[in-house]
Amino acid sequence: MNAMAALRQYQTVNTQAQAVDASPHRLIQMLMEGGLTRMAQARGALERGQVALKGELIGKAVGIVGGLRDGLNLEAGGELAMNLDRLYAYMSVRLLEANVKNDPAMLDEVAGLLRNIKSGWDAIAP
C-alpha cells in the first residue's frame, strides 16, 4: 500500500468514526465540508486535465448536495426549507453543467453558494 492509499484509508476511517459520534447538526456540517472539498478537488483535476477524475469528483459533489436536499423537512421547515430545496436543485444542475462544459467558474459559483449556506449553518451551532 503506497502512502497516498494509506492516507485515504485513514481519512475514510477517521470520517466514519466522526460521523458515528456526530450530532445531526454536525453531520450536516460534515456533508457541507465534504461537498466543498470535492468541488475544490474537481477544480484541481479540471486544471490538470484529469477529465475522468473531475467527473467522478463532481458526481460525488452532486451526491452530497442531493443528500443535503433529501435531509430537508419541507413540511416543518416552511419557506426556508423550500428556498434551500430550490437552491440545492439549482446547485446540482450547475454542477452537472460544469462537468459537461469543463467550466471552473461554475464550480466556483456552486462552492460559493455552499460556503454561504455553511456559514449560516455554522452560526447556529448548538
Side-chain angles (χ1 to χ4, degrees), residues 39 42-44 46-47 54 58 90-91 93-99 101-115:
M39 287 179 229
R43 192 179 204 293
L46 177 60
E47 291 171 354
K54 177 236 9 165
I58 289 176
Y90 171 80
M91 291 166 67
V93 168
R94 292 298 280 176
L95 285 170
L96 293 172
E97 288 175 350
N99 190 32
K101 296 179 180 179
N102 291 319
D103 189 337
M106 290 180 186
L107 287 173
D108 293 343
E109 175 194 3
V110 176
L113 292 169
L114 188 55
R115 270 192 298 278

mmCIF file of all heavy atoms in Angstrom, residues 39 42-44 46-47 54 58 90-91 93-99 101-115:
data_model
loop_
_atom_site.group_PDB
_atom_site.id
_atom_site.type_symbol
_atom_site.label_atom_id
_atom_site.label_comp_id
_atom_site.label_asym_id
_atom_site.label_seq_id
_atom_site.Cartn_x
_atom_site.Cartn_y
_atom_site.Cartn_z
ATOM 1 N N MET A 39 -15.627 19.708 -4.574
ATOM 2 C CA MET A 39 -15.625 20.736 -5.614
ATOM 3 C C MET A 39 -14.222 21.297 -5.837
ATOM 4 O O MET A 39 -13.805 21.505 -6.986
ATOM 5 C CB MET A 39 -16.606 21.858 -5.259
ATOM 6 C CG MET A 39 -18.057 21.454 -5.413
ATOM 7 S SD MET A 39 -19.160 22.809 -4.951
ATOM 8 C CE MET A 39 -20.292 21.946 -3.864
ATOM 9 N N ALA A 42 -12.296 18.687 -7.647
ATOM 10 C CA ALA A 42 -12.733 18.621 -9.041
ATOM 11 C C ALA A 42 -12.128 19.765 -9.841
ATOM 12 O O ALA A 42 -11.694 19.577 -10.986
ATOM 13 C CB ALA A 42 -14.258 18.666 -9.130
ATOM 14 N N ARG A 43 -12.061 20.935 -9.243
ATOM 15 C CA ARG A 43 -11.454 22.084 -9.931
ATOM 16 C C ARG A 43 -9.981 21.799 -10.212
ATOM 17 O O ARG A 43 -9.482 22.085 -11.303
ATOM 18 C CB ARG A 43 -11.612 23.350 -9.093
ATOM 19 C CG ARG A 43 -11.282 24.613 -9.862
ATOM 20 C CD ARG A 43 -11.477 25.853 -8.994
ATOM 21 N NE ARG A 43 -11.709 27.047 -9.745
ATOM 22 C CZ ARG A 43 -10.835 27.643 -10.533
ATOM 23 N NH1 ARG A 43 -9.654 27.126 -10.734
ATOM 24 N NH2 ARG A 43 -11.141 28.763 -11.168
ATOM 25 N N GLY A 44 -9.293 21.253 -9.236
ATOM 26 C CA GLY A 44 -7.886 20.901 -9.432
ATOM 27 C C GLY A 44 -7.709 19.861 -10.526
ATOM 28 O O GLY A 44 -6.813 19.972 -11.369
ATOM 29 N N LEU A 46 -9.714 19.333 -13.015
ATOM 30 C CA LEU A 46 -10.018 20.010 -14.272
ATOM 31 C C LEU A 46 -8.798 20.784 -14.761
ATOM 32 O O LEU A 46 -8.426 20.700 -15.933
ATOM 33 C CB LEU A 46 -11.216 20.943 -14.084
ATOM 34 C CG LEU A 46 -11.641 21.791 -15.271
ATOM 35 C CD1 LEU A 46 -12.034 20.910 -16.451
ATOM 36 C CD2 LEU A 46 -12.781 22.714 -14.886
ATOM 37 N N GLU A 47 -8.159 21.505 -13.858
ATOM 38 C CA GLU A 47 -6.981 22.294 -14.222
ATOM 39 C C GLU A 47 -5.828 21.410 -14.693
ATOM 40 O O GLU A 47 -5.033 21.820 -15.540
ATOM 41 C CB GLU A 47 -6.540 23.161 -13.048
ATOM 42 C CG GLU A 47 -7.513 24.282 -12.746
ATOM 43 C CD GLU A 47 -7.213 25.023 -11.449
ATOM 44 O OE1 GLU A 47 -6.300 24.598 -10.696
ATOM 45 O OE2 GLU A 47 -7.907 26.023 -11.184
ATOM 46 N N LYS A 54 -12.153 14.425 -12.586
ATOM 47 C CA LYS A 54 -13.030 15.582 -12.443
ATOM 48 C C LYS A 54 -14.491 15.141 -12.432
ATOM 49 O O LYS A 54 -15.273 15.535 -11.572
ATOM 50 C CB LYS A 54 -12.788 16.582 -13.573
ATOM 51 C CG LYS A 54 -13.707 17.782 -13.552
ATOM 52 C CD LYS A 54 -14.521 18.055 -14.807
ATOM 53 C CE LYS A 54 -14.547 17.062 -15.879
ATOM 54 N NZ LYS A 54 -15.608 17.226 -16.879
ATOM 55 N N ILE A 58 -17.053 15.562 -9.280
ATOM 56 C CA ILE A 58 -18.282 16.341 -9.426
ATOM 57 C C ILE A 58 -19.486 15.458 -9.123
ATOM 58 O O ILE A 58 -20.444 15.892 -8.475
ATOM 59 C CB ILE A 58 -18.379 16.985 -10.823
ATOM 60 C CG1 ILE A 58 -17.344 18.117 -10.936
ATOM 61 C CG2 ILE A 58 -19.789 17.517 -11.081
ATOM 62 C CD1 ILE A 58 -17.275 18.782 -12.299
ATOM 63 N N TYR A 90 -30.798 23.896 -7.975
ATOM 64 C CA TYR A 90 -30.020 24.748 -8.877
ATOM 65 C C TYR A 90 -28.536 24.366 -8.834
ATOM 66 O O TYR A 90 -27.878 24.261 -9.870
ATOM 67 C CB TYR A 90 -30.213 26.222 -8.488
ATOM 68 C CG TYR A 90 -29.296 27.165 -9.223
ATOM 69 C CD1 TYR A 90 -29.591 27.557 -10.524
ATOM 70 C CD2 TYR A 90 -28.143 27.659 -8.626
ATOM 71 C CE1 TYR A 90 -28.745 28.426 -11.212
ATOM 72 C CE2 TYR A 90 -27.296 28.519 -9.299
ATOM 73 C CZ TYR A 90 -27.596 28.900 -10.593
ATOM 74 O OH TYR A 90 -26.754 29.750 -11.271
ATOM 75 N N MET A 91 -28.029 24.154 -7.617
ATOM 76 C CA MET A 91 -26.623 23.800 -7.457
ATOM 77 C C MET A 91 -26.306 22.486 -8.179
ATOM 78 O O MET A 91 -25.259 22.364 -8.831
ATOM 79 C CB MET A 91 -26.271 23.720 -5.967
ATOM 80 C CG MET A 91 -26.286 25.071 -5.280
ATOM 81 S SD MET A 91 -26.282 24.983 -3.469
ATOM 82 C CE MET A 91 -24.678 24.299 -3.157
ATOM 83 N N VAL A 93 -27.824 21.215 -10.803
ATOM 84 C CA VAL A 93 -27.827 21.471 -12.247
ATOM 85 C C VAL A 93 -26.536 22.164 -12.665
ATOM 86 O O VAL A 93 -25.913 21.801 -13.669
ATOM 87 C CB VAL A 93 -29.069 22.312 -12.647
ATOM 88 C CG1 VAL A 93 -28.949 22.844 -14.073
ATOM 89 C CG2 VAL A 93 -30.334 21.497 -12.483
ATOM 90 N N ARG A 94 -26.111 23.148 -11.895
ATOM 91 C CA ARG A 94 -24.877 23.881 -12.237
ATOM 92 C C ARG A 94 -23.649 22.964 -12.161
ATOM 93 O O ARG A 94 -22.732 23.092 -12.978
ATOM 94 C CB ARG A 94 -24.693 25.094 -11.327
ATOM 95 C CG ARG A 94 -25.718 26.181 -11.547
ATOM 96 C CD ARG A 94 -25.658 26.765 -12.938
ATOM 97 N NE ARG A 94 -24.581 27.732 -13.024
ATOM 98 C CZ ARG A 94 -24.222 28.358 -14.134
ATOM 99 N NH1 ARG A 94 -24.852 28.121 -15.255
ATOM 100 N NH2 ARG A 94 -23.228 29.221 -14.114
ATOM 101 N N LEU A 95 -23.626 22.062 -11.194
ATOM 102 C CA LEU A 95 -22.507 21.119 -11.115
ATOM 103 C C LEU A 95 -22.475 20.215 -12.346
ATOM 104 O O LEU A 95 -21.405 19.961 -12.908
ATOM 105 C CB LEU A 95 -22.601 20.281 -9.834
ATOM 106 C CG LEU A 95 -22.220 20.998 -8.549
ATOM 107 C CD1 LEU A 95 -22.593 20.152 -7.331
ATOM 108 C CD2 LEU A 95 -20.731 21.333 -8.523
ATOM 109 N N LEU A 96 -23.633 19.755 -12.758
ATOM 110 C CA LEU A 96 -23.688 18.909 -13.954
ATOM 111 C C LEU A 96 -23.256 19.697 -15.189
ATOM 112 O O LEU A 96 -22.528 19.175 -16.044
ATOM 113 C CB LEU A 96 -25.090 18.328 -14.137
ATOM 114 C CG LEU A 96 -25.512 17.333 -13.050
ATOM 115 C CD1 LEU A 96 -26.973 16.956 -13.211
ATOM 116 C CD2 LEU A 96 -24.624 16.104 -13.047
ATOM 117 N N GLU A 97 -23.664 20.952 -15.277
ATOM 118 C CA GLU A 97 -23.232 21.802 -16.393
ATOM 119 C C GLU A 97 -21.720 22.028 -16.346
ATOM 120 O O GLU A 97 -21.053 22.026 -17.385
ATOM 121 C CB GLU A 97 -23.951 23.152 -16.351
ATOM 122 C CG GLU A 97 -25.414 23.089 -16.720
ATOM 123 C CD GLU A 97 -26.124 24.420 -16.549
ATOM 124 O OE1 GLU A 97 -25.549 25.373 -15.970
ATOM 125 O OE2 GLU A 97 -27.277 24.527 -17.002
ATOM 126 N N ALA A 98 -21.188 22.242 -15.158
ATOM 127 C CA ALA A 98 -19.745 22.442 -15.006
ATOM 128 C C ALA A 98 -18.991 21.216 -15.500
ATOM 129 O O ALA A 98 -17.925 21.340 -16.130
ATOM 130 C CB ALA A 98 -19.396 22.725 -13.545
ATOM 131 N N ASN A 99 -19.541 20.057 -15.231
ATOM 132 C CA ASN A 99 -18.911 18.812 -15.665
ATOM 133 C C ASN A 99 -18.915 18.710 -17.189
ATOM 134 O O ASN A 99 -17.887 18.439 -17.806
ATOM 135 C CB ASN A 99 -19.619 17.615 -15.039
ATOM 136 C CG ASN A 99 -18.872 16.336 -15.246
ATOM 137 O OD1 ASN A 99 -17.639 16.310 -15.311
ATOM 138 N ND2 ASN A 99 -19.595 15.243 -15.356
ATOM 139 N N LYS A 101 -19.365 21.119 -19.448
ATOM 140 C CA LYS A 101 -18.697 22.233 -20.124
ATOM 141 C C LYS A 101 -17.252 22.446 -19.668
ATOM 142 O O LYS A 101 -16.570 23.337 -20.173
ATOM 143 C CB LYS A 101 -19.489 23.518 -19.905
ATOM 144 C CG LYS A 101 -20.868 23.471 -20.538
ATOM 145 C CD LYS A 101 -21.628 24.753 -20.292
ATOM 146 C CE LYS A 101 -23.008 24.673 -20.934
ATOM 147 N NZ LYS A 101 -23.790 25.895 -20.703
ATOM 148 N N ASN A 102 -16.811 21.655 -18.668
ATOM 149 C CA ASN A 102 -15.467 21.842 -18.110
ATOM 150 C C ASN A 102 -15.239 23.298 -17.715
ATOM 151 O O ASN A 102 -14.238 23.909 -18.069
ATOM 152 C CB ASN A 102 -14.392 21.370 -19.087
ATOM 153 C CG ASN A 102 -14.395 19.875 -19.259
ATOM 154 O OD1 ASN A 102 -14.545 19.125 -18.292
ATOM 155 N ND2 ASN A 102 -14.260 19.420 -20.489
ATOM 156 N N ASP A 103 -16.184 23.832 -16.962
ATOM 157 C CA ASP A 103 -16.183 25.244 -16.607
ATOM 158 C C ASP A 103 -15.866 25.443 -15.121
ATOM 159 O O ASP A 103 -16.728 25.218 -14.266
ATOM 160 C CB ASP A 103 -17.545 25.857 -16.945
ATOM 161 C CG ASP A 103 -17.559 27.369 -16.805
ATOM 162 O OD1 ASP A 103 -16.727 27.929 -16.067
ATOM 163 O OD2 ASP A 103 -18.425 27.988 -17.444
ATOM 164 N N PRO A 104 -14.645 25.881 -14.808
ATOM 165 C CA PRO A 104 -14.299 26.082 -13.397
ATOM 166 C C PRO A 104 -15.097 27.201 -12.740
ATOM 167 O O PRO A 104 -15.314 27.165 -11.529
ATOM 168 C CB PRO A 104 -12.804 26.410 -13.438
ATOM 169 C CG PRO A 104 -12.535 26.870 -14.828
ATOM 170 C CD PRO A 104 -13.532 26.188 -15.704
ATOM 171 N N ALA A 105 -15.575 28.177 -13.516
ATOM 172 C CA ALA A 105 -16.364 29.266 -12.937
ATOM 173 C C ALA A 105 -17.671 28.740 -12.350
ATOM 174 O O ALA A 105 -18.143 29.233 -11.323
ATOM 175 C CB ALA A 105 -16.635 30.342 -13.985
ATOM 176 N N MET A 106 -18.251 27.733 -12.989
ATOM 177 C CA MET A 106 -19.486 27.138 -12.463
ATOM 178 C C MET A 106 -19.210 26.401 -11.158
ATOM 179 O O MET A 106 -20.016 26.459 -10.227
ATOM 180 C CB MET A 106 -20.111 26.200 -13.485
ATOM 181 C CG MET A 106 -20.694 26.900 -14.679
ATOM 182 S SD MET A 106 -21.413 25.684 -15.810
ATOM 183 C CE MET A 106 -21.851 26.743 -17.178
ATOM 184 N N LEU A 107 -18.067 25.720 -11.088
ATOM 185 C CA LEU A 107 -17.690 25.061 -9.828
ATOM 186 C C LEU A 107 -17.514 26.101 -8.728
ATOM 187 O O LEU A 107 -17.969 25.908 -7.596
ATOM 188 C CB LEU A 107 -16.397 24.268 -10.005
ATOM 189 C CG LEU A 107 -16.488 22.977 -10.802
ATOM 190 C CD1 LEU A 107 -15.093 22.411 -11.035
ATOM 191 C CD2 LEU A 107 -17.363 21.973 -10.088
ATOM 192 N N ASP A 108 -16.856 27.208 -9.075
ATOM 193 C CA ASP A 108 -16.641 28.274 -8.091
ATOM 194 C C ASP A 108 -17.965 28.874 -7.618
ATOM 195 O O ASP A 108 -18.128 29.186 -6.436
ATOM 196 C CB ASP A 108 -15.760 29.372 -8.684
ATOM 197 C CG ASP A 108 -14.344 28.914 -8.965
ATOM 198 O OD1 ASP A 108 -13.916 27.867 -8.416
ATOM 199 O OD2 ASP A 108 -13.646 29.603 -9.740
ATOM 200 N N GLU A 109 -18.908 29.034 -8.557
ATOM 201 C CA GLU A 109 -20.213 29.581 -8.209
ATOM 202 C C GLU A 109 -20.917 28.693 -7.179
ATOM 203 O O GLU A 109 -21.406 29.176 -6.153
ATOM 204 C CB GLU A 109 -21.088 29.699 -9.463
ATOM 205 C CG GLU A 109 -22.506 30.141 -9.154
ATOM 206 C CD GLU A 109 -23.474 29.958 -10.308
ATOM 207 O OE1 GLU A 109 -23.080 29.426 -11.374
ATOM 208 O OE2 GLU A 109 -24.644 30.331 -10.133
ATOM 209 N N VAL A 110 -20.946 27.396 -7.443
ATOM 210 C CA VAL A 110 -21.637 26.480 -6.541
ATOM 211 C C VAL A 110 -20.905 26.402 -5.197
ATOM 212 O O VAL A 110 -21.542 26.393 -4.139
ATOM 213 C CB VAL A 110 -21.792 25.083 -7.173
ATOM 214 C CG1 VAL A 110 -22.425 24.108 -6.191
ATOM 215 C CG2 VAL A 110 -22.634 25.174 -8.443
ATOM 216 N N ALA A 111 -19.585 26.382 -5.238
ATOM 217 C CA ALA A 111 -18.824 26.356 -3.984
ATOM 218 C C ALA A 111 -19.115 27.613 -3.161
ATOM 219 O O ALA A 111 -19.277 27.532 -1.936
ATOM 220 C CB ALA A 111 -17.330 26.231 -4.273
ATOM 221 N N GLY A 112 -19.223 28.749 -3.814
ATOM 222 C CA GLY A 112 -19.552 29.986 -3.104
ATOM 223 C C GLY A 112 -20.930 29.923 -2.464
ATOM 224 O O GLY A 112 -21.123 30.365 -1.323
ATOM 225 N N LEU A 113 -21.891 29.385 -3.205
ATOM 226 C CA LEU A 113 -23.240 29.231 -2.646
ATOM 227 C C LEU A 113 -23.224 28.313 -1.423
ATOM 228 O O LEU A 113 -23.839 28.623 -0.394
ATOM 229 C CB LEU A 113 -24.189 28.681 -3.712
ATOM 230 C CG LEU A 113 -24.514 29.610 -4.876
ATOM 231 C CD1 LEU A 113 -25.249 28.851 -5.976
ATOM 232 C CD2 LEU A 113 -25.329 30.810 -4.405
ATOM 233 N N LEU A 114 -22.517 27.198 -1.547
ATOM 234 C CA LEU A 114 -22.472 26.252 -0.432
ATOM 235 C C LEU A 114 -21.719 26.847 0.760
ATOM 236 O O LEU A 114 -22.108 26.633 1.912
ATOM 237 C CB LEU A 114 -21.847 24.925 -0.868
ATOM 238 C CG LEU A 114 -21.930 23.790 0.157
ATOM 239 C CD1 LEU A 114 -23.363 23.525 0.596
ATOM 240 C CD2 LEU A 114 -21.305 22.522 -0.410
ATOM 241 N N ARG A 115 -20.671 27.618 0.500
ATOM 242 C CA ARG A 115 -19.962 28.287 1.600
ATOM 243 C C ARG A 115 -20.891 29.251 2.337
ATOM 244 O O ARG A 115 -20.848 29.344 3.575
ATOM 245 C CB ARG A 115 -18.734 29.037 1.082
ATOM 246 C CG ARG A 115 -17.477 28.197 1.067
ATOM 247 C CD ARG A 115 -16.218 29.030 0.840
ATOM 248 N NE ARG A 115 -16.217 29.711 -0.451
ATOM 249 C CZ ARG A 115 -15.867 29.153 -1.598
ATOM 250 N NH1 ARG A 115 -15.481 27.903 -1.635
ATOM 251 N NH2 ARG A 115 -15.887 29.851 -2.713
#
